[in-house]
Structures are given as structure tokens and as C-alpha cells.
Amino acid sequence: MYNPTSFSHISPQSDSPALSMNYCSHCGTAVTLCIPQGDSLPRHVCPACGTIHYQNPKVVVGAIPEWGDSVLLCRRAIEPRHGFWTLPSGFMENRETTAEAAARETLEEACARVEISRLFALIDVPHISQVHLVYRARLLDLDFAPGSESLEVRLFREQDIPWDEIAFRSITMALRLYYADRSRGDYGFHVDTIPAPTGEHYTPPPDPPFV
Amino acid sequence: MYNPTSFSHISPQSDSPALSMNYCSHCGTAVTLCIPQGDSLPRHVCPACGTIHYQNPKVVVGAIPEWGDSVLLCRRAIEPRHGFWTLPSGFMENRETTAEAAARETLEEACARVEISRLFALIDVPHISQVHLVYRARLLDLDFAPGSESLEVRLFREQDIPWDEIAFRSITMALRLYYADRSRGDYGFHVDTIPAPTGEHYTPPPDPPFV
């Protein structure tokens, strides 16, 4: 799934807030911001039809496609982080499981067929309201090729991973955890958090629900 | 967080689709349904401002609050499944981690303070586009009480769990896995899927992105 805000937590310039919510998507009336009865946070509420427009975190699912002692990475053909390397990953779609999402993204971005194995990591990215899930996966054949969102797709051994050209911090985190586990010969399941970027060039997005 | 569609996968009568998306929430223009360039699924797109309105799965986070050999359950004061028992759980909010969501829901629904420990289960519920996460948690004291969404909050030993009065299938699944692990003395991490209900009274929601 193409979504220009995917994994935007790494690239401060792409941390642009979503467009503001001004109108009810059901009836078209201008919404108001208020705390509904029994709730504790402000929501966009339609004064005409009463719809409460909740905004919730999104799930990003990726795979670590394994072939022998190599893993498959994709070089991004789209922003953010055009030209940088990533694991196949993207926003989960409605009506699929997390494992199905991992297999679909691998097929879309690397034209590669995988058998999904274990869930390897859950990485919270709260400052952009995302939860990243990374599955291990077994590459079924070597007939991979760049999908429309990739410039290049390649197998890498650990010593060849382009650490300085990885697109996103959650991908770096997942790969570091993966190789640490592999060196011990025991793959675990990991839960970790990516903190908000810091630095003079970083402007945090406005507080929800204004994004 | 109060959300009337929470955990609606169990109660077929509450499997009502979300209100249809008819207008652009940014500029108020009537949206059209089309497959954006580079995408593979139909989306609601605004012909005026160009906004693509993606719809994605929601994350529901819960806790298993432990006190000795007991766990804390809440009897629901709201629909769906009013009067049935559940683990403290609800929709994840923007800008929080999954562990923070589990602690917040426990505080809101059971007025109980917990220390979140390990992530215990990820349960896909694809037919209603939800991902459920369940953390184990250590209850810090016995000063719990029903929150506004609960009729009653109680500690249960395994032999007293009201299995026939559990509100949702994912809660039953999480508790069964929990007691199976506890009987072995080794808590794992579990990934499983709740299939769509079947039966003459169940009408599946329409295909996305029409829900």
C-alpha cells in the first residue's frame, strides 16, 4: 500500500501532520471539538448527525525475508527516504491479519513470495501514533524484483548490511535485534519503543487530536 | 476510552459497519471512490483537495492484572455485551505506547494501578479490522473499583472464572492461553486469530472500504 506518511518518524521533514479534520465525513457538516460524555479526550464531533470521529494509531507491518544467512532489503523508490534501504513493510489494510499484511507488503515491494514464520518484534512509535510489527519470514524462491515502490531489491549478509543507509530507525532496531538473536542461536520476541527525534531541526507534530 | 464499537466482533448484532464516508473531512467536498495511482485498492479520494482518506485497522489493548493466583475482571456497564465480564481493555489512543494503553485502560475501567510486564498475546480479528494486544500486568494494590464503563470489578481464581459470561472471544482466548501457560509454569508470547462468526444470525459487514 502506498502511503506517503509511512514510517515518517525518521525523517523530520516528513513528520508533517495529517490534514486537519474540519467536516463530518458522513454528512458534510462542520465538526466541533469537544469531550463527549463518558470520554476523557477531545474528539471531533458532528453537531448534525452526532458522529464521533475517533483518530487512532496505525499499524505498520514488515517482514525479515530470510534466505540462508541473508535477508532481503528494498531500496526505496518513494519519499520519505528515497534511495535508502528498508525491510518490506507498510500500513496494514482493513480485513487482513498482521501476518497477511507482512506477506502482502513483501510481494508488493519485492515481488517476493514468503512463508511467514514468527512475530519477531513490536516497536511502539508513539510520537507519530504508530505500532510497528516485524515478522520473520522464509523466502520461498529467488524470483524477486523491485516492486513499484522499490528501486532495487537485494539479499544482504550481515557484514554487508548498509547500516548508514537504512531508511528508518525501527528497521535498524529490528535488524540489530535480529542479528543479536541470531548470534546467540535463539530468536526471541521483542517489544521496544522508538523515542521522538530530538535536535534543532525537529519540530514535533501538534498534539492530537489536532493532527 | 469509550467507543461503542469496541470488541464488537463477538456480538453479531453489534457488528454494525461504521457510518459511510461521503465527504472529505478536510474540505467538505463529496468524495469519490477510486484506486489512486500506484495503489491497488479503492480509496475515498477528494476531487477538490486531493486528500486520500485511508481506512486502517484499529488496535485494542488489554491487560491481565495479576494478584497472587487471581486476575482482575470487569463486568461491563456498556454495550456491546452489557453485564458480561472482560479484561480491562479498549482502543489505543494516539501518542501512547501499547503498554501505556494497557495501563490507562486498567485505570479507567477498574480504577486499578498496575505495573505492565510482558506482552502476552497478539490476536488478529480481521473480519472487523482489529488487532488485539494483551499484556500481563502486576496489580499494585487492592484499591480497585468500577470505572464508569464497569458495573463491578472483581478478582477471580481460575476455578471461579465465569467462562460462560465472558464478553468477547478474544478475552476467552487470552485467558485460556494464560491458564495453559501458567499450568506449565512458563508464560510465552502467543499470536492467534479470531475467525469471523458463522451462523444464520450473523451478517458479515460489507467489504472495505465501504465500512
Side-chain angles (χ1 to χ4, degrees), chain A residues 1-4 19-28 37-41 43 49 51 54-59 91-99 108 119 122 124 126-129 131 133 135 148-149 189 191 193 205-208 211, chain B residues 1-4 19-28 37-41 43 49 51 54-59 91-99 108 119 122 124 126-129 131 133 135 148-149 189 191 193 205-208 211:
Chain A
M1 164 187 179
Y2 173 68
N3 189 321
L19 288 173
S20 58
M21 178 177 287
N22 303 314
Y23 297 92
C24 175
S25 56
H26 181 62
C27 77
Q37 190 176 15
D39 204 339
S40 56
L41 290 175
R43 315 282 179 188
C49 73
T51 301
Y54 295 101
Q55 294 178 296
N56 302 95
K58 289 191 190 298
V59 181
F91 283 102
M92 190 179 177
E93 297 280 7
N94 278 348
R95 299 295 188 98
E96 66 182 359
T97 66
T98 51
E108 287 178 6
L119 184 59
L122 181 152
D124 285 294
H127 70 282
I128 52 163
S129 301
V131 179
L133 299 171
Y135 276 90
S148 62
E149 299 176 21
F189 169 68
V191 177
T193 300
D207 283 342
V211 294
Chain B
M1 164 186 179
Y2 173 70
N3 189 321
L19 288 172
S20 58
M21 179 176 287
N22 303 314
Y23 298 93
C24 175
S25 55
H26 181 61
C27 77
Q37 190 176 16
D39 205 338
S40 56
L41 290 176
R43 316 282 180 187
C49 73
T51 301
Y54 295 100
Q55 294 178 296
N56 303 96
K58 289 191 190 299
V59 181
F91 284 101
M92 189 179 177
E93 297 280 7
N94 278 349
R95 298 297 189 94
E96 66 183 358
T97 66
T98 52
E108 286 179 6
L119 184 58
L122 180 151
D124 284 294
H127 71 282
I128 52 163
S129 301
V131 178
L133 299 170
Y135 276 89
S148 61
E149 299 176 21
F189 169 67
V191 177
T193 300
D207 283 343
V211 294

Side-chain angles (χ1 to χ4, degrees), chain A residues 34-180:
Chain A
C34 65
I35 300 177
Q37 190 176 15
D39 204 339
S40 56
L41 290 175
R43 315 282 179 188
H44 291 101
V45 178
C46 178
C49 73
T51 301
I52 303 172
H53 296 279
Y54 295 101
Q55 294 178 296
N56 302 95
K58 289 191 190 298
V59 181
V60 174
V61 185
I64 304 176
E66 302 166 318
W67 181 268
D69 61 353
S70 296
V71 301
L72 196 69
L73 299 182
C74 306
R75 198 153 73 88
R76 288 172 63 82
I78 55 175
E79 294 294 348
R81 306 299 270 171
H82 182 282
F84 285 73
W85 292 90
T86 184
L87 292 167
S89 49
F91 283 102
M92 190 179 177
E93 297 280 7
N94 278 348
R95 299 295 188 98
E96 66 182 359
T97 66
T98 51
E100 288 166 351
R104 177 184 51 72
E105 289 290 346
T106 307
L107 186 62
E108 287 178 6
E109 299 190 355
C111 304
R113 288 143 297 282
V114 290
E115 179 183 80
I116 297 296
S117 45
R118 302 285 290 275
L119 184 59
F120 180 69
L122 181 152
I123 302 174
D124 285 294
V125 197
H127 70 282
I128 52 163
S129 301
Q130 291 183 2
V131 179
H132 294 189
L133 299 171
V134 183
Y135 276 90
R136 290 176 62 209
R138 189 172 68 85
L139 197 55
L140 294 180
D141 58 64
L142 292 177
D143 295 331
F144 52 78
S148 62
E149 299 176 21
S150 304
L151 296 169
E152 187 181 354
V153 178
R154 268 181 58 195
L155 285 169
F156 287 89
R157 291 189 176 156
E158 182 177 2
Q159 60 267 32
D160 301 321
I161 295 280
W163 292 108
D164 294 338
E165 298 169 50
I166 300 295
F168 307 114
R169 286 187 290 163
S170 62
I171 301 298
T172 301
M173 179 181 276
L175 287 171
R176 295 273 186 215
L177 291 167
Y178 175 78
Y179 286 116

Side-chain angles (χ1 to χ4, degrees), chain B residues 73-93:
Chain B
L73 298 183
C74 307
R75 199 154 72 88
R76 288 172 64 83
I78 55 174
E79 293 295 347
R81 307 298 270 167
H82 182 282
F84 286 72
W85 292 90
T86 184
L87 292 166
S89 51
F91 284 101
M92 189 179 177
E93 297 280 7

Side-chain angles (χ1 to χ4, degrees), chain B residues 180-199:
Chain B
D181 278 16
R182 202 172 70 171
S183 73
R184 283 201 310 273
D186 182 24
Y187 294 98
F189 169 67
H190 304 270
V191 177
D192 212 327
T193 300
I194 297 275
T198 54

